[in-house]
Structures are given as C-alpha cells and as structure tokens.
Amino acid sequence: MNIENKDKFKSVEDAPIAPTLKDAFWYWLKLGFISFGGPAGQIAIMHHDLVEKKRWISEKRFLHALNYCMVLPGPEAQQLATYIGWLMHRTKGGLIAGCLFVLPSLFILIALTFVYLQYGNLPAVAGVLYGIKPAVLAIVLFAAYRIGSRALKNKWLWMITFASFIAIAVFHLPFPLIVLFAALIGYVGSRYSPSTFSAGGGHHASNKSYGKAVIDDHTPTPEYATFNFKHLLKVLAAGMVLWLFAMGLLVIMYGWQATITQIGWFFTKAALLTFGGAYAVLPYVYQGAVEHYQWLTPIQMIDGLALGETTPGPLIMVVAFVGFVGGWTHQILGTDSLLLSGIVAATIATFFTFLPSFLFIFMGGPFIESTQGNLKFTAPLIAITAAVVGVILSLALFFATHVFLPNEIYMANTVIFGIDWLSVTLAVLGFFALFRLKISIIKLISIFAVLGFIVSVLY
C-alpha cells in the first residue's frame, strides 16, 4: 500500500487510517537516514511527520510521551521513537522504531571511522578534520548556551553550574559524583526553597489542532499498554537476563579485564548517566575512554564527535566511534583482524548503551499512559541540568585547548604554546552562525569541512 496516499484525508475531521506495522517499518527506516540536527531537530521531524502530516498521534499524546523521555537518562529522541512505535504496535513496534533510529547511524559511523583510521593521515582528510574541529567547539558552546538559557533561572542554579565546572575542570571529579551531588542539592534545596527548584521546563501542547489522529487525545489506552506491576517485573527480568547473557558471554570468552568486556561494562554505566543528553555524558566518556582505559587519544575524541555530528541518529552514537577505535587500537581479535575488531567493538558499545533505553520505555510506558497528565521535572533533575551546563563548558574548555593550542614552540629552553588563530577565528564564526544566523549543524559541519580542505590545498 502506498504510504503517501494514506497521508491524504478528505478533511481534518476524518480520522486517518491506522498504519500497519509495514507502514511503520518504512517510516522508521526513512527517519533513521534523515534524522540530522541533534535531538531538537529529530523531535521536530517526528512532530511534523507524525502529528501534523500523518496524524498517527495527537500533539497532546506526543508531548506527554516526550516529557517522560526528557527525564530519562539516554537519548530522548530515540526513546520517543521507541515509545510511539510501542504505543502503536506493541513491543515489536517499539523495537523496530528504536533500532531503526540507531542502525543507519551505526553503519555510517563504522564506515567513516574505518576511513578515518585508515586514511586519516592523508593531507586532504586531515584538512577536512582540521576545518571540522572548530565547528565542533562552536557546537558544544552553543549546546551549553541553549541548555543554560532554559535551565539557569536564578543565581543558585548559576552557582551549581559554576561549582560543577570547577569540580570537573580543576579537581577532575568523576562525572557520576557531580550528578549525585547535584541531585542531593536539588532534593535538599527544594525542601527549604521550593521556588528555587520549581519546574520551569517541560513541553506543553499548543492550542493548535491538526485534526483527528489515530491515537487521539481521548483514544483509550490499549490493553497491552495498561500498567501492570507483574508485566513491569517481567520486562525488567527479561532485560536483566539479556544483559547478563551478553556480559557473561564476553567474560567467558575473553575474561573480565579484556578490552572487549570492559567496553560493554563501561557503556552500560554511561547509558545510566546520560541525564541532559549526549553533550553531558561526553566528559564521562572522555574520562573513561581517554584517561582511564586509553582506548583513544584526546584528538581522536574530538574527531569522533565531529564524525558523530555529520551522521544521522542520536549524537550519543559517538560511542560507536569510541568502541571502534578501542577495538582497532587494542587489536581485540588479533593483528590480522583490525576491521573486524573495530566493527565488533562498535556493535558492543552500541548494544550496551541502548539496551537500558528500551527497558525504560517498555517498563515505564504503561505507567505513563495510565497518568495521562503533564509530567514535570523534579527538583533533583533541575539541579542536575544546572550541573550539566558546567560539565558541558568544561568539555568546551578541553576541546579549545586541543584545537587552539596544537603546537609547542621552544624558546630559550621554555615551552610556549603556539595559538592557532585560524582555528580561533573559525570557532568564533561558527558560534555566530549558530547563534545569530540559525544555521543547521550539518550545514555548518559541511561548510567548515570544505574550508578545511581548501586550507590543506593552499598550505
């Protein structure tokens, strides 16, 4: 059946035809290849397609699901796709939607990472990466600005941001510890000053109506989506069995200390700490993957984020790059199987990162459907968001030191860092383009890649 024909209705008063699982499959597959622009862009695409155009779900139900996904650790856009897929076609629909949101990005990123490792030293490729690095720095700074402008509503939240920046940038405290302290501050602070930590975020439906939807405002919750504590325990048990089986297999085959096993364990922890989105968890990934495990270098971490920005899907897919580089450099399957080592490690990193996201939806979705009200951020989550801004700023500082100060100049036996003024100029222009010109991230990356290539040709 032609999907496009099913999007045309006699009027907004006509209820659209419910999509089949096959219809949904082709839509989620298409979305997996066009979901550029980070979570905001991905959510906007789904709203346009599913609420305004196809009318598979009403705006109220769409935003109700989104508010739940926003307070979960993990990529909210991928979780929203999983939620809608589950609500429309049960667990099978949720798995299809969530997996297809990720798989195209995984395949593209594996190919790009192989090219990067195999040919990254070629002048043309190095030039492209040189141009992209300042763009990545501008994107990270702009992410801090966007989150901060929404979250930092008073001086106390600003103080949490400043404290988290000092904690990670100066004292190098672990990211999980910063999140824990921020949550504790929010919990205690809300009892003494509720207005300071009152919910200011959340998404609320507008008054605009797009017509009747397949899942409308007052469509009864299907039986399989009703809350049942026994079902919740079954889903939790199934998820734990799946995780234990995968982790146990790695331990039996390679041992606990093996790189391939530690990749699975590390990204399981990372999956539970991604409050605030991918930019917030990147410092944690950096601390573990670069400083502790030494799977990749600081420059490779920046390049990985650059490649992640150029691919569709959630930005947290940078974990596939980290896994691939770790598997490649540590030759987990032998010196003659570097490509296979990278592919296996990238797949393992992706599996353990996204498994909790599916569990959160399949476990919590029925409860959220039973509430049918607007969810609000709790005080601990508001404090965590404030701390996340400081963490992202520390990430920007880390990037800046490696992008702006790439060279060491020796004068009179003294090391003087040479500033790359071209990179500084490009980063400033990149931030201006994002902030004032509202240019898309993928367009910015593309322009700067071309500029980097031109520089490599001229110099």
Side-chain angles (χ1 to χ4, degrees):
M1 184 176 295
N2 190 314
I3 298 177
E4 294 299 322
N5 291 338
K6 298 184 70 175
D7 294 336
K8 299 177 181 179
F9 320 110
K10 295 179 181 179
S11 73
V12 295
E13 298 303 321
D14 295 328
I17 300 173
T20 64
L21 186 62
K22 182 179 178 181
D23 295 331
F25 173 88
W26 288 113
Y27 171 73
W28 296 121
L29 179 62
K30 172 190 170 185
L31 182 66
F33 282 100
I34 65 170
S35 56
F36 293 95
Q42 293 155 358
I43 291 168
I45 291 172
M46 282 189 281
H47 185 275
H48 174 267
D49 288 348
L50 302 182
V51 177
E52 301 177 33
K53 185 180 177 183
K54 296 179 181 294
R55 290 197 272 150
W56 287 359
I57 187 169
S58 71
E59 180 170 84
K60 181 180 178 182
R61 299 288 282 269
F62 179 92
L63 296 179
H64 180 68
L66 176 58
N67 279 327
Y68 172 57
C69 297
M70 289 293 291
V71 302
L72 293 174
E76 60 266 34
Q78 186 265 350
Q79 289 168 331
L80 178 62
T82 304
Y83 192 109
I84 295 174
W86 161 78
L87 190 58
M88 302 199 74
H89 296 107
R90 311 172 70 107
T91 302
K92 186 182 295 184
L95 289 172
I96 289 174
C99 289
L100 291 181
F101 198 90
V102 170
L103 288 179
S105 176
L106 174 62
F107 296 144
I108 294 171
L109 204 51
I110 284 175
L112 289 177
T113 308
F114 170 72
V115 172
Y116 167 78
L117 291 173
Q118 191 74 14
Y119 306 105
N121 291 326
L122 294 178
V125 177
V128 169
L129 292 172
Y130 173 83
I132 289 177
K133 286 185 178 73
V136 171
L137 175 59
I139 291 166
V140 173
L141 283 172
F142 188 64
Y145 163 76
R146 284 190 306 175
I147 298 174
S149 62
R150 294 195 303 264
L152 306 182
K153 301 300 184 182
N154 56 65
K155 64 179 182 181
W156 299 107
L157 295 177
W158 275 96
M159 289 175 63
I160 292 175
T161 296
F162 179 73
S164 71
F165 174 81
I166 296 298
I168 196 168
V170 178
F171 296 103
H172 306 290
L173 293 183
F175 178 65
L177 191 62
I178 294 173
V179 170
L180 180 63
F181 272 114
L184 184 61
I185 290 171
Y187 175 76
V188 174
S190 65
R191 306 189 68 175
Y192 295 94
S193 180
S195 60
T196 300
F197 297 94
S198 61
H203 298 262
H204 305 280
S206 65
N207 293 323
K208 185 174 181 179
S209 174
Y210 299 101
K212 291 182 179 180
V214 176
I215 301 178
D216 213 4
D217 291 354
H218 304 293
T219 300
T221 301
E223 185 178 351
Y224 63 82
T226 55
F227 179 73
N228 183 294
F229 189 71
K230 184 181 294 185
H231 173 75
L232 183 148
L233 292 179
K234 286 182 179 179
V235 174
L236 177 60
M240 291 299 298
V241 168
L242 187 59
W243 184 89
L244 287 171
F245 174 79
M247 183 59 67
L249 196 62
L250 292 177
V251 172
I252 292 171
M253 293 178 64
Y254 301 100
W256 175 251
Q257 295 300 329
T259 297
I260 194 170
T261 307
Q262 288 301 303
I263 286 175
W265 173 238
F266 174 72
F267 285 111
T268 295
K269 294 183 291 182
L272 302 175
L273 294 168
T274 50
F275 292 101
Y279 289 110
V281 81
L282 285 175
Y284 176 68
V285 174
Y286 167 75
Q287 284 182 332
V290 177
E291 295 182 347
H292 180 68
Y293 292 106
Q294 298 180 346
W295 292 330
L296 69 172
T297 67
I299 292 298
Q300 287 176 329
M301 185 71 188
I302 301 174
D303 292 338
L305 181 56
L307 292 178
E309 293 281 12
T310 63
T311 59
L315 180 59
I316 195 61
M317 280 305 298
V318 71
V319 302
F321 174 88
V322 173
F324 191 106
V325 176
W328 176 290
T329 56
H330 284 67
Q331 305 171 358
I332 60 174
L333 299 180
T335 56
D336 296 329
S337 304
L338 294 182
L339 176 58
L340 183 60
S341 295
I343 293 173
V344 170
T347 304
I348 288 173
T350 303
F351 172 81
F352 283 100
T353 297
F354 284 93
L355 176 61
S357 291
F358 286 99
L359 292 181
F360 289 141
I361 298 303
F362 296 148
M363 289 172 57
F367 174 76
I368 299 306
E369 281 299 303
S370 71
T371 64
Q372 285 299 309
N374 289 321
L375 294 180
K376 295 181 180 296
F377 288 110
T378 62
L381 286 172
I382 291 172
I384 288 174
T385 303
V388 158
V389 177
V391 171
I392 296 174
L393 287 174
S394 75
L395 180 69
L397 177 63
F398 155 73
F399 281 177
T401 57
H402 289 85
V403 174
F404 296 160
L405 306 171
N407 304 312
E408 291 180 351
I409 302 173
Y410 295 88
M411 295 182 61
N413 296 323
T414 302
V415 178
I416 301 175
F417 288 99
I419 298 177
D420 185 343
W421 290 108
L422 179 57
S423 290
V424 173
T425 303
L426 289 174
V428 172
L429 291 175
F431 186 84
F432 176 81
L434 291 167
F435 181 70
R436 298 293 296 179
L437 304 181
K438 311 298 182 184
I439 190 172
S440 67
I441 288 177
I442 189 64
K443 187 177 293 185
L444 180 73
I445 291 285
S446 301
I447 292 172
F448 275 49
V450 172
L451 290 176
F453 177 77
I454 292 173
V455 169
S456 72
V457 172
L458 295 178
Y459 298 96

